Amino acid sequence: GAGVYFACAACKSHQYTCHQHKKCCECNHTRTLIIARVALGDAYIATETRKNERRPLLRSDFSGMFDSIMVKPGTIKGHHNQQKIHQEFAIFDRKQAYPA
């Protein structure tokens, strides 16, 4: 989706740091990793991939939108290998991350 993505584990973020190959690799290109604080607020816990999200999801009771999306390790419907190893987060307002 269109969110800004974060992970708890640096090895997960490393998978996205090679601008040359666009995947995790062992090449010698310079990489950048930004360490940030992220305010998740009321996070939606995803159990399936949400590839086309452009904004936080609407709560089931229609009381407003969630503030972020969280994916926990485990089974995820629609994921290429059905399992997530790392915890990941997506926010849709850059003000939720510091530095922004």
Side-chain angles (χ1 to χ4, degrees):
V4 179
Y5 292 79
F6 298 88
C8 291
C11 61
K12 176 60 181 175
S13 299
H14 173 72
Q15 293 176 4
Y16 300 97
T17 60
C18 183
H19 60 85
Q20 178 72 26
H21 297 108
K22 306 294 185 206
K23 62 179 182 176
C24 185
C25 67
E26 300 297 326
C27 71
N28 291 326
H29 287 92
T30 301
R31 299 159 192 271
T32 303
L33 180 67
I34 298 170
I35 297 174
R37 292 179 187 255
V38 182
L40 299 175
D42 184 17
Y44 172 81
I45 309 300
T47 57
E48 61 188 7
T49 57
R50 316 251 1 144
K51 294 181 180 179
N52 298 315
E53 296 301 333
R54 298 286 181 245
R55 61 189 176 126
L57 295 159
L58 187 63
R59 290 184 181 95
S60 61
D61 64 0
F62 303 104
S63 63
M65 293 185 183
F66 287 97
D67 300 307
S68 61
I69 297 175
M70 177 189 301
V71 180
K72 294 183 177 183
T75 303
I76 299 294
K77 295 177 202 160
H79 191 266
H80 63 89
N81 65 4
Q82 299 297 311
Q83 290 287 324
K84 290 292 285 179
I85 297 170
H86 301 94
Q87 191 171 38
E88 297 179 60
F89 313 95
I91 60 171
F92 298 88
D93 181 348
R94 67 185 184 119
K95 294 175 187 168
Q96 288 175 257
Y98 176 80

